[in-house]
């Protein structure tokens, strides 16, 4: 696929059972910056095709006929509005800004269900453009926006992180350290850590975390996902896990240490353990760090992560938060279980059951 899309005109198409393979092939090439989107497409395709979104479209670059007798369309961008109110995007950064805006207007036209829109997620420059389109088209208010550094790691970590954490813990508290995969039996002990993490890193003014749904989400991830617990003398004091799995990349999230145990490298040891455990099955690992969190940025750089751009999440007043409203707890439960089992369930079944 050419990196410089010059001499092209562009067309926009809604995804079909045939063109979704074009979208998946494009997303695979840029997966580190859109793992949530990659996960949605992966679940549409495997084990059998089944659409798992409210709306999705691709932008194609097409050579001019006078320069190419048999022009072939090239997929160079994807927009996907999930069943849970999240608008994911992955678009070639070489596409002109006016084309990205036009793609947004095509996708976010009069038939778009704005009352169901909760958030827009993707690289910062394109999220900002879609914010413009949404504000112009629907006249709804941007509720909040958070900018992140996007970071990626493509190689295993050294064992020094566990050794360093063990030494610091011994010096301070004379306690033994262990890291292992958490199970559903750890739900009660992990829950206070997860709730504090979400209140600190996810919640914002006007959108509080619902504890019951937080616990439901954690239970589902413990059953079907990857969470690693760090224990000191048998008590869980830190954790790290994955919150999305694309075609070949894992997205790391939920990294947290109890306040009394911070600055000892426990979370770094958990992330290193996660990466080393799954490096054979993943091409790489990515995560987001709030731009103001310079301490976390330094830790991840020591782990081998590199900055690879800016990411932005924008939240909209029109839509309910599908993850933290109690009426949608059953939807959340099924979403996470479905992701890990690969089972495809219709939207009707998700809502009605």
């Amino acid at each position: 696929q050419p990196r410089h899309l010059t001499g092209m005109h562009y067309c926009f198409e809604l995804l079909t059972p045939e063109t979704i393979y074009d979208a998946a092939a494009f997303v695979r090439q840029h997966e580190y910056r859109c793992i949530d989107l990659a996960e949605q497409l992966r679940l549409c395709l495997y084990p059998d095709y089944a659409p798992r979104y409210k709306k999705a479209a691709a932008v194609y670059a097409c050579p001019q006929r006078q320069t190419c007798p048999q022009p072939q369309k090239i997929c160079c961008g994807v927009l996907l509005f999930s069943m849970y109110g999240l608008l994911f995007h992955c678009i070639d950064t070489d596409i002109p800004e006016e084309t990205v805006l036009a793609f947004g207007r095509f996708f976010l036209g009069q038939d778009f269900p704005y009352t169901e829109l909760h958030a827009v997620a993707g690289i910062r420059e394109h999220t900002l453009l879609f914010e413009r389109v949404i504000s112009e088209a629907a006249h709804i208010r941007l509720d909040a926006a958070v900018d992140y550094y996007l970071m990626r790691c493509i190689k295993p970590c050294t064992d020094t992180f566990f050794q360093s954490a063990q030494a610091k813990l011994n010096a301070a508290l004379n306690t033994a350290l262990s890291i292992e995969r958490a199970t559903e039996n750890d739900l009660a002990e992990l829950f206070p850590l997860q709730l504090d993490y979400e209140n600190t890193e996810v919640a914002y003014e006007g959108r509080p975390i619902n504890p019951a749904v937080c616990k439901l989400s954690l239970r589902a991830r413990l059953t079907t996902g990857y969470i690693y617990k760090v224990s000191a003398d048998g008590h869980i004091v830190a954790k790290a896990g994955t919150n999305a799995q694309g075609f070949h990349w894992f997205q790391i999230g939920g990294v947290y240490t109890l306040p009394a145990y911070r600055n000892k490298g426990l979370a770094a040891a958990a992330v290193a353990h996660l990466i080393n455990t799954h490096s054979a099955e993943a091409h790489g690992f990515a995560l987001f760090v709030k731009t103001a969190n310079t301490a976390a940025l330094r830790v991840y750089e020591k782990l081998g992560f590199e900055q690879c751009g800016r990411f932005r999440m924008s939240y909209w007043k029109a839509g309910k938060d599908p993850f933290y409203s109690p009426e949608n707890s059953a939807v959340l439960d099924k979403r996470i279980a479905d992701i890990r089992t690969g089972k495809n369930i219709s939207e009707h079944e998700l809502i009605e059951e």
Side-chain angles (χ1 to χ4, degrees), residues 63-97:
Q64 300 291 349
R65 287 189 178 275
Q66 57 267 33
T67 61
C68 183
Q70 294 182 321
Q72 182 178 5
K73 297 188 302 183
I74 303 167
C75 182
C76 52
V78 180
L79 275 168
L80 184 146
F81 187 49
S82 78
M83 292 164 56
Y84 315 99
L86 305 177
L87 177 58
F88 299 116
H89 57 85
C90 181
I91 299 171
D92 196 308
T93 53
D94 283 349
I95 290 183
E97 180 178 304

Side-chain angles (χ1 to χ4, degrees), residues 43-349:
L43 291 170
C44 288
L45 296 174
Y46 303 110
D48 300 301
Y49 172 77
R52 293 178 43 84
Y53 48 78
K54 292 179 181 293
K55 186 177 183 179
V59 53
Y60 287 91
C62 309
Q64 300 291 349
R65 287 189 178 275
Q66 57 267 33
T67 61
C68 183
Q70 294 182 321
Q72 182 178 5
K73 297 188 302 183
I74 303 167
C75 182
C76 52
V78 180
L79 275 168
L80 184 146
F81 187 49
S82 78
M83 292 164 56
Y84 315 99
L86 305 177
L87 177 58
F88 299 116
H89 57 85
C90 181
I91 299 171
D92 196 308
T93 53
D94 283 349
I95 290 183
E97 180 178 304
E98 59 269 23
T99 302
V100 179
L101 288 168
F103 185 35
R105 294 183 183 111
F106 164 81
F107 192 82
L108 297 161
Q110 292 182 347
D111 64 336
F112 188 81
Y114 281 102
T115 56
E116 301 168 24
L117 175 64
H118 168 58
V120 180
I123 64 168
R124 186 176 186 274
E125 63 180 284
H126 289 155
T127 297
L128 288 169
L129 293 179
F130 293 129
E131 288 173 15
R132 280 173 54 185
V133 175
I134 293 168
S135 297
E136 293 167 1
H139 306 291
I140 58 176
R141 181 167 64 87
L142 178 64
D143 206 14
V146 183
D147 288 336
Y148 301 88
Y149 292 113
L150 176 59
M151 306 189 76
R152 64 183 174 186
C153 178
I154 57 173
K155 58 186 179 182
C157 302
T158 68
D159 293 332
T160 58
F161 293 97
F162 179 85
Q163 296 163 1
S164 173
Q166 177 71 80
K168 290 180 181 178
L169 202 62
N170 273 334
L173 302 169
N174 193 28
T175 58
L177 184 68
S178 67
I179 303 177
E180 57 187 339
R181 185 175 174 182
T183 70
E184 193 171 357
N185 293 332
D186 298 306
L187 175 63
E189 194 174 358
L190 274 173
F191 174 62
L193 284 72
Q194 182 67 20
L195 184 60
D196 194 35
Y197 166 80
E198 293 188 6
N199 279 322
T200 304
E201 298 295 329
V202 180
Y204 58 92
E205 186 175 357
R207 292 287 180 110
I209 300 301
N210 181 285
V213 181
C214 173
K215 180 175 283 189
L216 176 66
S217 169
L218 178 61
R219 180 183 61 77
R221 290 192 182 279
L222 285 167
T223 304
T224 58
Y226 303 116
I227 297 178
Y228 289 89
K229 61 180 181 179
V230 181
S231 301
D233 280 349
H235 299 288
I236 300 174
V237 297
K239 69 181 190 70
T242 58
N243 53 23
Q245 183 180 338
F247 294 103
H248 301 296
W249 283 72
F250 284 7
Q251 185 169 289
I252 294 175
V255 181
Y256 179 88
T257 304
L258 287 173
Y261 292 84
R262 289 176 184 170
N263 301 313
K264 297 176 177 61
L266 303 185
V271 172
H273 183 86
L274 186 159
I275 290 172
N276 291 341
T277 301
H278 297 282
S279 58
E281 61 191 284
H283 289 185
F285 303 82
L287 50 79
F288 312 118
V289 179
K290 288 181 178 178
T291 52
N293 195 346
T294 55
L297 188 66
R298 289 194 297 270
V299 169
Y300 289 124
E301 287 174 341
K302 290 179 181 178
L303 281 162
F305 283 84
E306 62 177 7
Q307 291 187 44
C308 50
R310 296 286 188 95
F311 194 90
R312 182 174 172 91
M313 288 279 295
S314 62
Y315 301 91
W316 296 85
K317 198 68 174 178
K320 292 180 179 179
D321 186 335
F323 296 101
Y324 300 105
S325 54
E327 63 267 32
N328 284 311
S329 60
V331 175
L332 175 65
D333 190 19
K334 281 186 173 294
R335 172 189 182 268
I336 297 170
D338 191 18
I339 284 171
R340 295 309 179 200
T341 61
K343 181 181 179 184
N344 289 299
I345 302 175
S346 72
E347 179 180 358
H348 176 77
E349 289 172 318

